[in-house]
Amino acid sequence: MAKKKKKQHYSGIGGQAVLEGVMMKNKDDYAIAVRKSNGEIDVDVEVYHSILHGAKIKNVPFIRGIFNFIDSLRLGMRAINHSAMFYEDETTEANNDEKALDKGLDKVSNGRSDKILMALSTVFAVALAVGLFIVLPLLVTRWLSKYMNNESLLAIIEGGIRVIVFLIYIISISLMKDIRRLYQYHGAEHKCINCIERGRELTVGNVMRSSRIHKRCGTSFMFLVIIISVILFFFIRIDNVFLKVLIRLALVPVIAGISYEAIRLAGKTDNIFVKIISAPGMWLQHATTKEPDETMVEVAIKSVEAVFDWKKFLKEEFELEFEEVEAAETPATERVGVAEDNISNES
């Protein structure tokens, strides 16, 4: 086996955690691997076309970030809805009510209930984000303006409130039991990408030894969005609250574009400047990722292999040669015991 280079190489793949699984995307192809309740892994491979598919503008710096952000939201919702389908057949009264509601929506919408619910969920999420990160800090600083006249100080306080709200939100949901499993799959996703980009063969053992922290993570992106918004909003000095909200909303695409370029740079370079701007987001990933078990890693590997030729990547980027048949490892699926509520390893 050739000596591995230590430098991390950009693979171009990315993904996200879903319910009991992982979605991985490579160019226009994406795969969703889900551990079903019987222990089997279902892998679904699809093609996702960007809203700017074929348009040259999608490669323009700063502009491309806006549409990549929208695409990430759309694909993310699609992936989560797909994984949720495997757990919709439980025979509880609540689920029966939900099924009746789904049938009613299907009749009213001519079979487009899924798209309608996805749109409503997106609208609700956007409204919640606007309320927490734009309107709430503005209202608090407006109240404080009765007691201080320093506009610069008020702008700093507004930015500080925005950062604090974001940190409280991230840390709070990380403490929820149901979210912990999602964050474990998030860790498995990162570990797989780090394993490949560090020049290691994609085996369960190698993935488990890899880091769960990655510079291109969505957590880092969102933190950059918050920080860049604090900087830009500092220079907006308008008394009218309604106009302040409108201007801040109008600047969201600009902020997304700048943040995308920063996170893209972080994924491809490793200089001191990139390390500094990446550090806070990577620190936050200790809250939004958890250490996965081997069964979770196996799911993530299936998702990677469905859309990415990692052996070819290692050969081209690291000049790494290895046997086609790896040393035998006991598949994680052979150690899966299906319990009533959780899927657990049996050693």
Side-chain angles (χ1 to χ4, degrees):
M1 183 180 292
K3 187 178 180 180
K4 301 176 186 177
K5 298 178 183 179
K6 292 183 179 181
K7 184 179 178 181
Q8 187 167 3
H9 288 219
Y10 177 71
S11 66
I13 59 173
Q16 73 169 59
V18 297
L19 181 63
E20 292 299 330
V22 172
M23 182 275 287
M24 286 289 188
K25 185 174 183 294
N26 177 35
K27 298 179 181 177
D28 290 335
D29 297 323
Y30 71 94
I32 307 170
V34 178
R35 176 79 71 181
K36 299 194 291 186
S37 57
N38 62 5
E40 295 177 357
I41 300 175
D42 179 270
V43 181
D44 183 68
V45 181
E46 299 286 346
V47 175
Y48 178 81
H49 291 304
S50 168
I51 56 177
L52 287 179
H53 181 66
K56 292 182 179 180
I57 195 174
K58 72 175 183 178
N59 295 319
V60 177
F62 299 103
I63 299 295
R64 61 189 172 191
I66 300 170
F67 297 99
N68 270 281
F69 179 61
I70 296 172
D71 283 333
S72 296
L73 291 177
R74 291 177 65 201
L75 182 56
M77 290 296 295
R78 183 183 298 181
I80 290 173
N81 287 340
H82 174 83
S83 65
M85 290 193 304
F86 293 96
Y87 297 90
E88 287 180 348
D89 295 330
E90 298 177 4
T91 56
T92 63
E93 183 178 348
N95 276 340
N96 288 332
D97 291 340
E98 289 175 6
K99 288 178 181 178
L101 178 60
D102 288 340
K103 289 179 180 179
L105 283 173
D106 277 333
K107 289 180 180 180
V108 174
S109 62
N110 294 323
R112 294 179 296 178
S113 62
D114 287 343
K115 291 183 179 180
I116 291 174
L117 289 174
M118 187 184 300
L120 290 174
S121 298
T122 303
V123 169
F124 175 76
V126 170
L128 181 62
V130 170
L132 284 176
F133 302 118
I134 294 181
V135 177
L136 178 62
L138 267 178
L139 292 178
V140 173
T141 52
R142 183 175 176 80
W143 175 75
L144 288 175
S145 66
K146 298 177 181 178
Y147 305 97
M148 60 179 70
N149 293 320
N150 192 320
E151 289 291 328
S152 295
L153 180 58
L154 286 170
I156 293 172
I157 292 173
E158 180 190 337
I161 293 171
R162 192 170 289 111
V163 173
I164 290 170
V165 169
F166 179 73
L167 293 177
I168 291 174
Y169 171 78
I170 290 293
I171 295 172
S172 296
I173 64 173
S174 71
L175 299 176
M176 297 170 62
K177 183 179 179 181
D178 292 340
I179 296 297
R180 182 176 178 81
R181 282 190 69 82
L182 186 71
Y183 282 176
Q184 284 181 283
Y185 277 106
H186 190 192
E189 173 223 330
H190 282 189
K191 280 174 170 285
C192 279
I193 297 174
N194 277 323
C195 179
I196 295 168
E197 294 187 339
R198 290 292 182 184
R200 304 187 186 104
E201 299 171 34
L202 195 64
T203 64
V204 172
N206 283 342
V207 173
M208 289 295 290
R209 288 190 291 271
S210 298
S211 172
R212 74 176 199 264
I213 309 302
H214 198 279
K215 288 187 292 186
R216 296 199 312 272
C217 176
T219 303
S220 296
F221 174 80
M222 292 308 300
F223 189 77
L224 278 173
V225 166
I226 295 296
I227 295 302
I228 291 171
S229 71
V230 170
I231 296 171
L232 290 183
F233 295 168
F234 177 83
F235 298 100
I236 299 175
R237 304 295 174 87
I238 300 173
D239 293 331
N240 188 289
V241 175
F242 181 71
L243 283 178
K244 276 189 175 182
V245 172
L246 285 182
I247 292 173
R248 280 158 170 70
L249 289 175
L251 284 174
V252 168
V254 177
I255 295 167
I258 297 172
S259 301
Y260 175 79
E261 297 304 323
I263 206 75
R264 195 169 185 268
L265 178 67
K268 291 188 173 184
T269 58
D270 201 29
N271 57 48
I272 186 66
F273 173 72
V274 167
K275 288 181 178 179
I276 291 172
I277 65 173
S278 300
M282 294 179 73
W283 174 78
L284 265 181
Q285 287 178 48
H286 286 89
T288 62
T289 63
K290 302 297 179 185
E291 285 295 329
D293 59 35
E294 291 187 358
T295 64
M296 294 172 175
V297 165
E298 188 181 49
V299 173
I301 289 175
K302 291 288 186 182
S303 186
V304 172
E305 292 181 330
V307 294
F308 186 75
D309 188 347
W310 60 268
K311 292 182 179 180
K312 180 181 178 182
F313 175 79
L314 293 184
K315 184 175 182 179
E316 292 177 350
E317 296 292 327
F318 294 88
E319 299 176 355
L320 186 62
E321 300 288 348
F322 49 88
E323 296 294 331
E324 287 298 319
V325 180
E326 304 290 347
E329 287 189 12
T330 304
T333 48
E334 293 182 10
R335 300 191 298 276
V336 173
V338 181
E340 287 185 6
D341 298 319
N342 294 312
I343 301 168
S344 60
N345 270 347
E346 292 181 359
S347 51

